[in-house]
Amino acid sequence: MTRLTAALAGALLLAAGSAEAEIRFGIMNEAYPPFFTKDSSGTWVGWEIELMEAVCAELKESCSIVEMSWDGLIPGLTSGRFDVIWSSMSITDERRKTIDFTSSYYKTPAKLIGAKDGVTGTTPEDVAGKTLGIQVSTIQSAYYATHYKDVATERTYATLDEAFQDLAAGRIDYVFGDSIPLMEFLKTEYGADCCEDKGNVADDPAILGEGIGGGLRKGETELAARIDGAISALRAKGIYQEISAKYFTFDPFGG
């Protein structure tokens, strides 16, 4: 592999212009539709990617993508491998102990999906004796430890796709995660065949957070303010809404 090829594989250059510095955006290195996934050419696409590109254009900055495993995103940020976590990360008090955040740029409730012949409902009584598939190091895992641990079993996965596969195969009873990617799975052929929406879980803002934001190193107040200002400008211009209309039938900014 040539040096140029390696560079292109590691970073996708996005908006160009009169940029003074590059902003590196860290994203999870797995598909998370409709927020980010790779097309047939290996290019990252999706709602969160388009929003990132629009933010960069608004800021007149050159931006690049750095791929990393989900549980490596916060260490990657704090060690300086990139500048912003842009990967559907919920803003929580626990994460604020380590990193700062921009304001929320979208919101989504937490949900359970399960087999069509299973119980509908999300109370502890509904899931008693069942196995919940949960992506490791997520707010859903923390929610499980508080609300479901005494009555149900957790099985953790490196990726949601692995949890979906086990759910479709009947090896677990539920997948617990953010509602939008779970509902996207139910639109797929094997998701529609096996499974259904069991409902949103009871809200717990202390665990589930305040929405999705960009993760930043502690003290990066100027960068946070610039990104917040760019998103506000995109909404005022209708660009945020135009991007969202390609993927959603609702405005994700307000949940």
Side-chain angles (χ1 to χ4, degrees):
M1 180 180 289
T2 67
R3 185 171 300 176
L4 177 60
T5 302
L8 290 173
L12 169 66
L13 292 180
L14 300 173
S18 57
E20 296 180 357
E22 180 182 70
I23 302 175
R24 299 163 299 166
F25 287 77
I27 70 168
M28 180 171 60
N29 59 358
E30 64 161 299
Y32 193 67
F35 298 102
F36 46 88
T37 189
K38 285 186 176 180
D39 65 16
S40 58
S41 70
T43 300
W44 284 104
V45 296
W47 181 86
E48 218 160 351
I49 301 301
E50 290 198 40
L51 180 62
M52 178 178 60
E53 292 172 343
V55 166
C56 291
E58 183 68 28
L59 293 175
K60 296 182 172 58
E61 292 283 8
S62 173
C63 297
S64 63
I65 287 174
V66 178
E67 302 175 24
M68 193 160 292
S69 66
W70 171 258
D71 56 2
L73 284 171
I74 290 178
L77 174 71
T78 57
S79 66
R81 294 189 62 180
F82 50 85
D83 306 300
V84 186
I85 296 175
W86 198 260
S87 195
S88 291
M89 182 168 282
S90 296
I91 303 166
T92 68
D93 289 342
E94 183 63 27
R95 287 174 177 149
R96 277 199 175 109
K97 294 176 183 177
T98 307
I99 63 175
D100 287 341
F101 283 94
T102 67
S103 297
S104 170
Y105 57 83
Y106 86 84
K107 296 180 181 179
T108 176
K111 178 181 291 297
L112 291 176
I113 61 172
K116 289 182 177 179
D117 60 357
V119 173
T120 297
T122 64
T123 67
E125 293 75 19
D126 293 326
V127 304
K130 304 299 184 182
T131 300
L132 281 62
I134 304 173
Q135 187 175 16
V136 69
S137 301
T138 59
I139 56 173
Q140 286 78 29
S141 190
Y143 188 99
Y144 163 85
T146 299
H147 295 278
Y148 293 141
K149 185 177 180 180
D150 292 339
V151 298
T153 300
E154 178 187 32
R155 185 173 298 172
T156 57
Y157 296 86
T159 70
L160 267 183
D161 277 347
E162 293 170 336
F164 291 150
Q165 291 168 18
D166 273 4
L167 179 63
R171 290 187 285 267
I172 57 176
D173 301 294
Y174 300 96
V175 171
F176 180 24
D178 287 337
S179 63
I180 295 175
L182 266 58
M183 295 305 290
E184 286 296 307
F185 167 72
L186 293 182
K187 295 177 184 177
T188 66
E189 183 176 353
Y190 70 106
D193 285 345
C194 74
C195 306
E196 65 183 8
D197 179 7
K198 299 300 185 182
N200 295 344
V201 303
D203 193 22
D204 185 340
I207 297 175
L208 296 179
E210 307 160 21
I212 304 298
L216 302 166
R217 285 183 290 276
K218 286 289 188 180
E220 292 280 359
T221 55
E222 181 180 353
L223 181 56
R226 293 182 67 209
I227 293 173
D228 287 347
I231 292 173
S232 294
L234 293 174
R235 286 190 61 79
K237 296 174 181 178
I239 297 173
Y240 179 104
Q241 295 86 334
E242 290 175 10
I243 295 170
S244 298
K246 300 177 185 179
Y247 298 90
F248 310 116
T249 58
F250 59 93
D251 182 358
F253 193 78

